[in-house]
Amino acid sequence: MNSQELWVHVYGRLKSCKSISTTQLKQLHSFLIKTRPLPLKYPNLISSPPSPPHKHKHKYSHSTHILSFLNHLEKPDLCLSLYNAIIQGLPSNPTTKTASLFQLFELLGHMLANGILPDHYTVPSVLKACAQSRALREGQQIHAYAIKTGLVLSNVYVNNTLMRVYAVCGVIKWVRMVFDESPQRDLVSWTTLIQGYVKMGFPREGVEAFFGMCDAEMRADEMTLVIVLSACSKLGDLSLGKKISGYIYDNGVCRDVFIGNALVDMYLKCGDADFARKVFNEIPVKNVVSWNSMISGLAHQGKFKEALDVFQEMQRMGLEPDDVTLVGVLNSCANLGVLEMGEWVHAYVDRNQIEADGFIGNALVDIVEA
């Protein structure tokens, strides 16, 4: 099998894998050893990759197999498409985030050692791992590389992923900086900026960014509007919330359960229980969050009897309450002195082996003391 045929076979196998397992790499590695027994070794040019904790060293055999696999390819076969296929196929394990990031930086070092430069497919994949691990320093390193190679100025996908890194790391000024310096912005750019402001405690700035998006003639989708409605809820600004509600109606945005829940939450937190109930009734298919929004929102307004009425309606519909539901119900029982309902909730907690700690535990204490 010549070099070209080998490449077609190996790359075809890689493309067919949804994720690259150690077993699959071993199989390909064995094949390469048989067909090309003399491995080529190249130095690693990454001087300071993220270091894995000592206790997790046994989890790095996956990247060892990848590098060993790559070292058995002749230099012409080490092309950018192959590296991107491997990087994008690396499994993402939430329990070993640091390990995954370490693997990626090892692969980047191997790429650079072979004179292969990461592109607009490679960089976002690495930035996603940085965001998942909240690895600010490594994200900054990739940002510097993207600036040097012009990817920041030329690719909106790279910019959006970079904004995401800074957003999850809690550095809103850098989110704004990347956004302001981006020559191209799409809906994801605006949504990432808005979400960054709202999650970091700047709801007013998030709403202002939304109106800036409207001025730029960018149409919001359901996800963006849920975030903006949550900002209105945090502000308790009914007038502002009604403007966003008007935008939803005027632009024919699909009023799915997520939009419906966000509207209910906004109206309740802004003090309009009647309209919240109207929106709630219009939600075609309600989930537990829908009912929780009504129960908790009414309890927050001091409408404890109405909250219990909604809970009883939920029971008649055959929906199972969750922790949030039970806390709202217990708080309403405690404030009304309805011991019977409180005892029912207590029995429900015991029967379903729900841990009575945190909010549920405190609510149970309140009902006993009421």
Side-chain angles (χ1 to χ4, degrees), residues 1 3-17 20 28 31-32 69-70 73 77-88 121:
M1 182 179 290
S3 176
Q4 182 63 28
E5 290 171 337
L6 175 65
W7 158 250
V8 171
H9 175 80
V10 171
Y11 188 49
R13 290 282 299 275
L14 286 170
K15 286 180 70 177
S16 67
C17 300
I20 302 172
L28 289 175
F31 170 77
L32 288 169
F69 161 75
L70 289 171
L73 287 171
D77 294 316
L78 291 168
C79 71
L80 182 58
S81 297
L82 175 59
Y83 279 103
N84 284 342
I86 293 174
I87 288 173
Q88 291 170 13
Y121 291 111

Side-chain angles (χ1 to χ4, degrees), residues 235-250:
L235 292 167
D237 191 330
L238 182 59
S239 174
L240 193 58
K242 285 183 175 180
K243 283 184 181 179
I244 306 303
S245 180
Y247 177 95
I248 293 170
Y249 283 99
D250 293 343

